[in-house]
Amino acid sequence: LFMFSIVPMVGIVMAFQDYNPSKGWFGSPWVGLKWFKYLTVIPDAKRALVNTLIIAIAKVILNIIIPLVFALLLNEVKNMKFKKTVQTIVYLPHFVSWVILANIITNILGANGIFNTVRSAMGATDTVLPMTMPGIFRQLLIGTDVWKEFGYNAVIYLAALTGISPSLYEAAAIDGANQRTTFLKITLPLMKPVIQVNVTMAVISALKQMETVYLLTNGGPGNKTQFAANYLYQQAFKAFKYGYGNAIGVVFIII
């Protein structure tokens, strides 16, 4: 933890320098808050930040609500064989890498993919590319992420539900509590620690999201689907603007 998470934080100084690898930290000129001011005036940076926040907020909300509701519903199933089968099926997408998933999506929604092939068979003469349409792409990205991870999150919630003593529900039933009251007074409070951990992990995962955008569109067209992590990578490691890229990283740390 110290070597890989604490020591590299020293590199934050590059965000305040016009960093040159040949000169190092001690030889590169200091520029103060130049790169942070740069972030506020560059349209691509603003677009990347807005896209990141919209997608991240949607992912966090859906990746908490959908798995929780699914886990509560599955927990009510009495047929254990059916319950385990469903649990396994929804858990499987978690093990599919984003590289494979991106190829599947491309084969479905690409110019020669299944989507356009079906449209052509139905008489359509134009080609629709959802991955190049910013509004649809956001929904596609959010939906794909939720589909891939909700099974994994649901298993965590199911484990938490299993740990709640049945005697609490029995006592509530004797006292005349309905399902709504039981959920609000027993289930939700006892699952609160697990939900807090999942929210924290969901926020971190949503803000770091890069693979899907990079693999599907690499931020195009015209940076309309640009994501902050992808933008950081392009600026720091392709355009070699190390100070600017580090400034974006500092903003990430603050968030």
Side-chain angles (χ1 to χ4, degrees):
L1 179 66
F2 178 76
M3 289 300 297
F4 292 100
S5 297
I6 306 301
V7 173
M9 293 289 282
V10 178
I12 287 175
V13 298
M14 286 190 287
F16 306 95
Q17 295 178 321
D18 188 2
Y19 182 74
N20 187 323
S22 63
K23 296 180 180 179
W25 292 337
F26 300 104
S28 298
W30 292 88
V31 294
L33 298 175
K34 172 185 174 181
W35 299 122
F36 294 94
K37 293 176 181 176
Y38 199 59
L39 271 170
T40 63
V41 297
I42 299 299
D44 288 349
K46 292 180 181 178
R47 187 180 295 115
L49 183 59
V50 170
N51 283 340
T52 302
L53 291 176
I54 291 173
I55 295 171
I57 291 170
K59 279 186 178 182
V60 169
I61 293 173
L62 293 176
N63 275 323
I64 296 302
I65 294 175
I66 293 177
L68 181 58
V69 172
F70 181 81
L72 290 168
L73 292 172
L74 197 60
N75 193 54
E76 296 297 319
V77 176
K78 304 304 179 185
N79 187 325
M80 291 303 295
K81 188 175 181 180
F82 175 76
K83 182 177 179 179
K84 294 294 183 182
T85 302
V86 172
Q87 185 176 318
T88 302
I89 291 171
V90 299
Y91 188 51
L92 286 175
H94 172 72
F95 295 100
V96 179
S97 73
W98 279 114
V99 176
I100 296 172
L101 194 61
N103 275 291
I104 293 171
I105 295 171
T106 302
N107 286 329
I108 293 172
L109 300 177
N112 299 314
I114 298 170
F115 178 69
N116 279 299
T117 301
V118 172
R119 290 184 71 256
S120 179
M122 295 175 65
T125 56
D126 60 327
T127 300
V128 177
L129 300 174
M131 290 186 295
T132 64
M133 302 165 70
I136 295 177
F137 180 79
R138 283 179 185 168
Q139 298 166 13
L140 176 66
L141 184 64
I142 294 165
T144 304
D145 186 83
V146 173
W147 169 77
K148 186 176 185 297
E149 299 298 338
F150 92 94
Y152 173 78
N153 293 325
V155 169
I156 295 174
Y157 289 133
L158 279 169
L161 286 167
T162 305
I164 299 175
S165 174
S167 62
L168 294 173
Y169 293 109
E170 292 167 4
I174 293 171
D175 288 338
N178 56 27
Q179 284 187 325
R180 179 176 179 275
T181 304
T182 302
F183 172 73
L184 293 175
K185 299 295 183 181
I186 298 176
T187 306
L188 198 58
L190 291 177
M191 289 186 68
K192 186 178 177 182
V194 176
I195 294 173
Q196 287 176 333
V197 171
N198 262 17
V199 168
T200 303
M201 298 304 292
V203 169
I204 294 170
S205 175
L207 291 174
K208 287 169 60 179
Q209 186 72 45
M210 174 180 170
E211 296 100 325
T212 316
V213 178
Y214 182 77
L215 292 167
L216 291 176
T217 66
N218 199 18
N223 293 327
K224 294 294 184 180
T225 61
Q226 188 65 274
F227 206 76
N230 193 43
Y231 184 64
L232 185 158
Y233 171 74
Q234 290 176 348
Q235 295 301 315
F237 300 106
K238 285 191 172 182
F240 303 110
K241 298 177 182 177
Y242 298 108
Y244 184 40
N246 221 285
I248 301 169
V250 171
V251 173
F252 262 77
I253 293 170
I254 293 170
I255 295 175

